[in-house]
Amino acid sequence: MGSFQSLPDDHQYRTLSQKTGFSLEQIAILHNRFKQLSQNEETLRRDDLKTIQDLESNPIRSQIIEAFFDRRNFQKDGVGSVEEIGFEEFLTVMSYFRAPAHHITEEQREEMRRAKLRFLFNMHDTDNDGTITLEEYRHVVEELLSRSGALGRETAKGIADAAMLEVASISVGPMAPDEFYEGITFEHFLKILKGIEIETTMHIHFLNMDTSVLCK
Amino acid sequence: MRMRMMKMLLLLGLCCGPVCCGQNQSDPRDQRVFPVLSVNYDYVQMPFEVSLWILLASLLKLGFHLLPRLSAVVPESCLLIVVGLLVGGLIRVMGKKPPVLDSQLFFLCLLPPIILDAGYFLPLRPFTENAGTILSFAVLGTLWNTFFTGALLYACRPAALELLPCLLFGSIVSAVDPVAVLAVFEEIHINELLHILVFGESLLNDAVTVVLYHLFEEFAHAGEVTAGDVFLGVVCFFVVALGGVLVGGVYGVLAAFTSRFTSHTRVIEPLFVFLYSYMAYLSAEVFHLSGIMALIACGVIMRPYVEANISHKSYTTIKYFLKMWSSVSETLIFVFLGVSTVAGPHAWNWTFVTITIVLCLLSRVLGVVGLTFIINKYRMVKLSGKDQFIVAYGGLRGAIAFSLAFLLSSDDFPMKDMFLTAIITVIFFTVFVQGMTIRPLVDLLAVKKRKESKCSINEEIHTQFLEHLLAGIEGVCGHYGHHHWRDKLNRFNKRYIKRCLIGGERSQEPQLVSFYNKMELKQALMLLESNSSANLSTAVTAAAPRQRSLKTLNISKEREEEIRKILRANLQKTQQRLRSYSRHTLMPDAEDDWSETLLKKQQEEMERRMSNFLTVPAAPARRLESGERLRSGSFFFSERSAGEVNARRKPSVKFSLEPPKPPRGPEHLLEEDEELMHRRH
């Protein structure tokens, strides 16, 4: 593996392109960005991402950064998190935000939907037990409201509770008095977010990226 | 006996009258008998006729909905035009001249309520997501329609028309009409995307129509066109469109700012909304700017801030008044269109009319197909052939075209009557033929219908989450895209604008929380409505769960009687208060306080429910506590019980506002309520 600093390795790019679905130009642009962020090293660390100014005012900043270092998102069936990632992992995480191509079959569309929703699910399920418990969901809502100051934990708890109850009523229906709802599994998660067309909403226009426009 | 006395007195009085007048016979002035009953119709003629028309329109609306089979097949607008024709015919048969739809009346009184209703309730998210498409249809599509129709009309020379009148006619007839679109699309319930595309186009093309209309009118007056004039025309378009939006924005901000201070005068809150919007429209019309765009901009801009400031009742009032006015306006417009058809001077010219209809259809189809081809390259969700067909087919013409043609001066345009006839024919064609057939076509082509939007807190949370996520990822990419700018706008809005325009602590409230509060309020009100009508005891027994520990509380008979007496007394007091209602003594924020307390109580209730329900089941000892009722786990059941508790609490909360407090405070009353409930099982 030659260093990425000299000529772009075409063969490398082609395999990446096949794996993630990006075009060669998009990979080149993202590679430049990777180099910019990692200060020309081969791997990226959490601190490099923390220096991005635009992320500072983002309420879910820590979760976004964690998502880059989460092995479950690398499509290699790993678990846990890593300390540093290479360009391939960076690109793999970015590929979750690609738009669906024009003419894809229903199954491919469904597959893409599942992949994107799995990414979101992994962001919420921090302890990796396959379910989003009430505590984890509360944490999500608290983070979302964290920039809004004084309202605090009570409202966040109330909202998270209401949301969980809604999931329970949608997925499981009316429950007997002795049951209790453990947490949102991935299947339930798919069900409750059926209304949002994830494959078209969760995307970034990688097309229009121009190296001269890249900040910092 | 007394009645007979009264009758005698009355008769005497009546006789005295003429007698006294009779005694004045020596008076040289004319001797009239004092008129007991006289008719003075001229005094009330104007308001009387206006009210009569509006009453007629409303009765018609009533009538249509009593005939379900008819209203399922024929859209309301068609029926109304037919009625207008009948009424016009009737008036003509009676020998009088039927009134024509006066353009000033139309533009200043009938059109604004419909546009304000549309603008205030415009679904902003789909509109901004498709803004590019909508703008290109509105601007480029209308320009294409105008020039295509005008040029081909000139080429065909049906009545030896010059180029400029042809182009003017093209500009009048090519604009898609928001009133007609709304009237038809409301009934077919197609999916949100198509609805917003056609409807948004019909709203935004007003700017283009205004500019082209005035441009061609001026040129026809002047006689010749230079390149400089064309350039000025383009500049004029930008001025008209952006100026209209600016005027609307200014009034919108003013309205939002005013609503910040209305917490003490809740009764006139809706009035501010209506007045500021109408002023925006009129101010834009003064400068020949686009009044419709001003109205839309005003409604869109003021809505989030005004809604955060006003009370729930004012919100409902605004909603219902807008719906009512726009409904009446729409009905009147269509009826008058029918009447004007019977009234107006007609100059029928077969070739002109047929060519016009053919060209309108052709230009619409070509325009939509061509533009979609270009737009699809930039769109995420492509517009399929079916979508294009619906967009093209939904381009209905309506009363705006008629009124614009009516405004033409007969001196500059001797063929005005021919234009009017052709426009009326086009309107009839689009409304009748296209309006009636669009519903079966939508079903035939299996176009996606509008899905029922449930208020889902999960979707709202995830929509917000996605917004932040995408903005963050764009930050990581270093790419200043769509999400980045939207995020920046939201932050700017939150930090500066909301602070100015929203009063009190609601200025700091994030969107998720206000959504949640709204949802909770809605659910709480729904529960109360369903429970308040039920008898107290039956409501309680209805909610009895099957498995309950038979804990019986020993409340003595006297205590129960006392409790009942207190409840009854307080209920009577409430009734008395309601009887002496006057608009000047409207209880300030009684309803708001109550709903706040209600929300807090429901939140507490949910807390308790959640802590027992969603965690590991507690030790059996806990089962016997008040937690028993909450352990049910069924969402619906616990909601209902929460509802009962809230229904019970309703009297006690209201009473906290009463000066003479019950001997035990409301809190005690609450506990006794619960005990009472427990006892019944």
Side-chain angles (χ1 to χ4, degrees):
Chain A
M1 233 169 67
S3 82
F4 283 110
Q5 292 173 11
S6 48
L7 294 168
D9 198 332
D10 249 9
H11 175 67
Q12 203 82 28
Y13 275 20
R14 255 182 258 280
T15 38
L16 282 175
S17 170
Q18 268 178 347
K19 185 178 173 222
T20 57
F22 281 120
S23 72
L24 293 176
E25 302 128 349
Q26 287 170 334
I27 296 184
I29 294 176
L30 283 170
H31 197 189
N32 277 331
R33 180 61 177 169
F34 182 83
K35 279 190 274 186
Q36 219 183 18
L37 286 175
S38 67
Q39 282 129 13
N40 275 328
E41 290 176 29
E42 278 184 29
T43 55
L44 196 65
R45 286 191 194 76
R46 287 191 176 82
D47 298 329
D48 298 323
L49 286 180
K50 284 198 183 135
T51 56
I52 302 178
Q53 263 175 357
D54 290 327
L55 277 186
E56 259 165 58
S57 47
N58 200 315
I60 54 172
R61 173 172 164 228
S62 47
Q63 278 144 321
I64 297 179
I65 295 181
E66 263 318 299
F68 276 94
F69 294 91
D70 189 344
R71 276 225 195 103
R72 290 174 293 177
N73 295 331
F74 296 160
Q75 294 177 357
K76 281 187 192 150
D77 299 329
V79 284
S81 65
V82 291
E83 284 307 311
E84 40 184 47
I85 55 171
F87 181 55
E88 190 179 332
E89 286 87 19
F90 182 75
L91 206 60
T92 316
V93 170
M94 283 300 187
S95 72
Y96 285 105
F97 295 93
R98 251 184 357 99
H102 281 252
H103 310 287
I104 55 172
T105 63
E106 264 309 304
E107 302 158 353
Q108 283 172 327
R109 190 176 280 270
E110 189 55 36
E111 206 183 289
M112 191 176 227
R113 227 179 110 74
R114 285 184 78 97
K116 295 196 184 202
L117 283 173
R118 187 86 220 181
F119 182 82
L120 279 183
F121 189 81
N122 288 342
M123 279 183 89
H124 296 326
D125 182 19
T126 44
D127 61 0
N128 196 20
D129 60 354
T131 56
I132 304 179
T133 59
L134 183 62
E135 281 310 313
E136 287 169 344
Y137 212 13
R138 275 191 188 153
H139 184 66
V140 170
V141 178
E142 268 166 22
E143 288 289 299
L144 268 182
L145 294 178
S146 61
R147 296 284 157 163
S148 322
L151 291 173
R153 323 221 116 197
E154 290 309 308
T155 338
K157 264 210 293 184
I159 295 178
D161 295 347
M164 280 298 262
L165 276 174
E166 200 184 77
V167 178
S169 70
I170 290 180
S171 345
V172 187
M175 290 163 59
D178 278 339
E179 289 179 45
F180 63 98
Y181 188 62
E182 284 134 0
I184 312 181
T185 62
F186 185 54
E187 292 308 319
H188 295 169
F189 192 69
L190 285 177
K191 229 199 256 188
I192 57 174
L193 290 187
K194 233 187 331 191
I196 307 183
E197 279 196 15
I198 278 283
E199 61 273 17
T200 46
T201 331
M202 186 164 148
H203 79 275
I204 306 244
H205 281 280
F206 288 110
L207 274 175
N208 317 341
M209 278 169 54
D210 183 14
T211 16
S212 53
V213 175
L214 293 177
C215 62
K216 266 179 57 307
Chain B
M1 188 60 198
R2 292 189 74 176
M3 281 301 290
R4 257 195 253 156
M5 286 286 285
M6 299 282 287
K7 279 191 199 162
M8 295 276 288
L9 278 170
L10 203 61
L11 269 172
L12 265 173
L14 277 175
C15 297
C16 278
V19 167
C20 294
C21 291
Q23 279 180 348
N24 285 337
Q25 279 188 15
S26 49
D27 197 326
R29 285 186 309 189
D30 58 344
Q31 320 119 20
R32 283 182 316 164
V33 172
F34 182 76
V36 173
L37 198 67
S38 62
V39 177
N40 186 358
Y41 183 62
D42 298 324
Y43 184 56
V44 296
Q45 183 184 11
M46 237 284 280
F48 191 82
E49 287 186 349
V50 169
S51 309
L52 203 60
W53 276 110
I54 298 181
L55 188 62
L56 175 73
S58 315
L59 287 173
L60 287 171
K61 254 184 126 62
L62 217 86
F64 294 150
H65 289 283
L66 292 174
L67 308 166
R69 248 181 310 159
L70 193 61
S71 51
V73 172
V74 186
E76 219 175 73
S77 37
C78 302
L79 290 171
L80 288 170
I81 295 186
V82 168
V83 168
L85 287 171
L86 289 173
V87 169
L90 203 70
I91 299 183
R92 180 159 271 186
V93 157
M94 288 201 313
K96 300 220 196 100
K97 190 173 177 331
V100 189
L101 181 60
D102 179 31
S103 289
Q104 197 178 24
L105 177 73
F106 174 74
F107 278 115
L108 294 184
C109 300
L110 293 178
L111 192 60
I114 303 180
I115 305 293
L116 180 60
D117 180 36
Y120 195 76
F121 294 107
L122 194 69
L124 203 54
R125 203 178 280 244
F127 187 78
T128 44
E129 281 173 13
N130 295 298
T133 316
I134 294 177
L135 271 175
S136 48
F137 274 131
V139 177
L140 300 174
T142 313
L143 281 174
W144 158 261
N145 281 349
T146 307
F147 286 107
F148 185 78
T149 316
L152 281 189
L153 256 181
Y154 179 59
C156 297
R157 295 273 196 149
L161 287 171
E162 298 296 323
L163 179 61
L164 274 173
C166 283
L167 285 175
L168 180 61
F169 181 73
S171 75
I172 297 177
V173 88
S174 62
V176 177
D177 187 78
V179 180
V181 165
L182 259 179
V184 169
F185 272 46
E186 275 294 306
E187 301 181 2
I188 62 179
H189 301 300
I190 50 170
N191 62 50
E192 206 177 45
L193 171 67
L194 287 178
H195 184 110
I196 199 71
L197 280 181
V198 182
F199 183 60
E201 179 199 343
S202 67
L203 288 176
L204 294 184
N205 68 16
D206 180 62
V208 183
T209 312
V210 162
V211 170
L212 286 176
Y213 178 80
H214 285 157
L215 212 64
F216 291 136
E217 213 188 6
E218 280 297 314
F219 291 165
H221 206 74
E224 58 177 300
V225 184
T226 63
D229 290 330
V230 173
F231 174 69
L232 278 180
V234 172
V235 171
C236 186
F237 165 71
F238 283 105
V239 167
V240 161
L242 296 176
V245 171
L246 192 69
V247 168
V250 166
Y251 276 99
V253 168
L254 278 176
F257 191 64
T258 313
S259 72
R260 187 182 166 176
F261 302 106
T262 54
S263 44
H264 299 289
T265 45
R266 293 276 185 205
V267 193
I268 55 173
E269 270 173 344
L271 204 58
F272 284 118
V273 170
F274 301 141
L275 284 176
Y276 275 113
S277 316
Y278 195 47
M279 292 287 287
Y281 180 77
L282 293 176
S283 312
E285 287 288 326
V286 165
F287 300 104
H288 278 308
L289 303 173
S290 167
I292 290 184
M293 293 189 79
L295 210 47
I296 303 275
C298 186
V300 163
I301 287 180
M302 78 176 158
R303 185 179 177 197
Y305 310 109
V306 163
E307 280 193 358
N309 281 331
I310 59 178
S311 69
H312 189 69
K313 285 204 178 108
S314 300
Y315 171 72
T316 315
T317 310
I318 292 179
K319 189 163 90 159
Y320 277 101
F321 259 85
L322 278 179
K323 297 287 177 203
M324 181 186 80
W325 271 329
S326 66
S327 174
V328 166
S329 274
E330 196 181 286
T331 316
L332 277 176
I333 288 178
F334 283 115
V335 167
F336 265 112
L337 258 181
V339 172
S340 311
T341 312
V342 174
H346 288 300
W348 184 264
N349 183 330
W350 272 105
T351 29
F352 188 68
V353 171
T354 33
I355 294 181
T356 310
I357 296 184
V358 167
L359 280 179
C360 277
L361 286 173
L362 197 63
S363 68
R364 176 81 183 156
V365 170
L366 286 177
V368 168
V369 170
L371 273 175
T372 319
F373 183 69
I374 304 175
I375 291 172
N376 266 346
K377 297 208 172 89
Y378 298 98
R379 276 183 68 88
M380 178 50 26
V381 180
K382 315 281 177 203
L383 293 175
S384 66
K386 267 192 281 185
D387 297 333
Q388 292 174 36
F389 176 74
I390 296 291
V391 171
Y393 207 65
L396 306 173
R397 316 304 201 262
I400 292 188
F402 177 83
S403 306
L404 282 176
F406 200 74
L407 276 177
L408 293 173
S409 70
S410 308
D411 316 315
D412 293 330
F413 299 97
M415 69 293 287
K416 173 179 164 181
D417 294 336
M418 193 170 69
F419 282 179
L420 271 176
T421 316
I423 287 180
I424 289 183
T425 321
V426 171
I427 295 177
F428 271 46
F429 182 81
T430 54
V431 172
F432 278 91
V433 173
Q434 287 178 238
M436 275 204 270
T437 52
I438 201 170
R439 202 186 309 201
L441 276 173
V442 159
D443 292 331
L444 194 71
L445 293 174
V447 179
K448 258 197 292 181
K449 295 279 184 103
R450 174 167 46 194
K451 52 181 176 168
E452 297 306 316
S453 61
K454 290 172 297 185
C455 220
S456 166
I457 186 85
N458 276 301
E459 282 187 15
E460 183 67 23
I461 291 178
H462 279 97
T463 316
Q464 296 255 324
F465 189 81
L466 268 177
E467 272 184 22
H468 289 297
L469 175 65
L470 291 171
I473 296 285
E474 278 192 357
V476 170
C477 284
H479 166 52
Y480 285 144
H482 179 58
H483 299 283
H484 177 92
W485 293 117
R486 185 180 49 192
D487 195 50
K488 269 219 157 122
L489 185 67
N490 281 339
R491 264 186 286 141
F492 176 71
N493 186 14
K494 189 155 67 161
R495 208 187 297 178
Y496 301 114
I497 303 188
K498 273 194 182 168
R499 214 169 278 189
C500 290
L501 297 179
I502 301 182
E505 14 170 86
R506 301 217 38 195
S507 59
Q508 298 296 328
E509 199 176 64
Q511 193 186 344
L512 188 59
V513 176
S514 32
F515 179 87
Y516 172 66
N517 284 339
K518 253 192 247 182
M519 205 178 79
E520 285 283 288
L521 189 61
K522 223 191 285 190
Q523 279 181 354
L525 285 174
M526 251 170 27
L527 285 170
L528 278 168
E529 276 173 29
S530 62
N531 281 325
S532 61
S533 49
N535 197 347
L536 283 178
S537 51
T538 53
V540 166
T541 47
R546 296 165 305 256
Q547 309 103 321
R548 287 183 54 100
S549 69
L550 294 169
K551 178 179 192 238
T552 48
L553 252 187
N554 293 322
I555 303 184
S556 60
K557 270 281 178 190
E558 295 88 35
R559 205 153 165 228
E560 196 185 319
E561 219 8 75
E562 263 180 3
I563 293 168
R564 284 231 190 93
K565 233 195 297 181
I566 291 172
L567 284 174
R568 218 179 297 132
N570 283 325
L571 277 169
Q572 280 173 350
K573 285 202 194 111
T574 317
Q575 283 180 355
Q576 276 178 353
R577 189 178 58 184
L578 288 174
R579 238 180 275 139
S580 62
Y581 170 82
S582 141
R583 70 173 185 277
H584 297 291
T585 60
L586 188 64
M587 285 305 266
D589 291 336
E591 176 245 21
D592 288 332
D593 273 354
W594 165 65
S595 57
E596 288 281 337
T597 333
L598 186 65
L599 277 176
K600 272 195 218 121
K601 296 226 192 285
Q602 201 178 16
Q603 276 173 351
E604 284 166 28
E605 178 60 33
M606 241 210 291
E607 278 279 327
R608 279 190 291 165
R609 229 190 312 162
M610 294 302 294
S611 52
N612 290 339
F613 167 47
L614 285 176
T615 53
V616 179
R622 287 185 72 181
R623 280 176 174 256
L624 295 175
E625 281 185 327
S626 60
E628 170 50 41
R629 185 173 32 149
L630 310 168
R631 270 286 285 147
S632 68
S634 156
F635 182 59
F636 300 111
F637 168 75
S638 0
E639 260 204 324
R640 236 176 334 140
S641 67
E644 262 95 64
V645 177
N646 288 333
R648 287 303 206 98
R649 284 176 189 150
K650 182 179 171 186
S652 63
V653 169
K654 259 200 178 144
F655 304 141
S656 59
L657 302 165
E658 296 274 41
K661 280 205 159 178
R664 304 186 199 95
E667 289 308 314
H668 290 271
L669 216 53
L670 240 105
E671 282 168 7
E672 276 154 359
D673 282 357
E674 292 189 19
E675 287 172 348
L676 204 59
M677 271 175 69
H678 277 275
R679 188 175 167 270
R680 294 228 185 257
H681 306 301

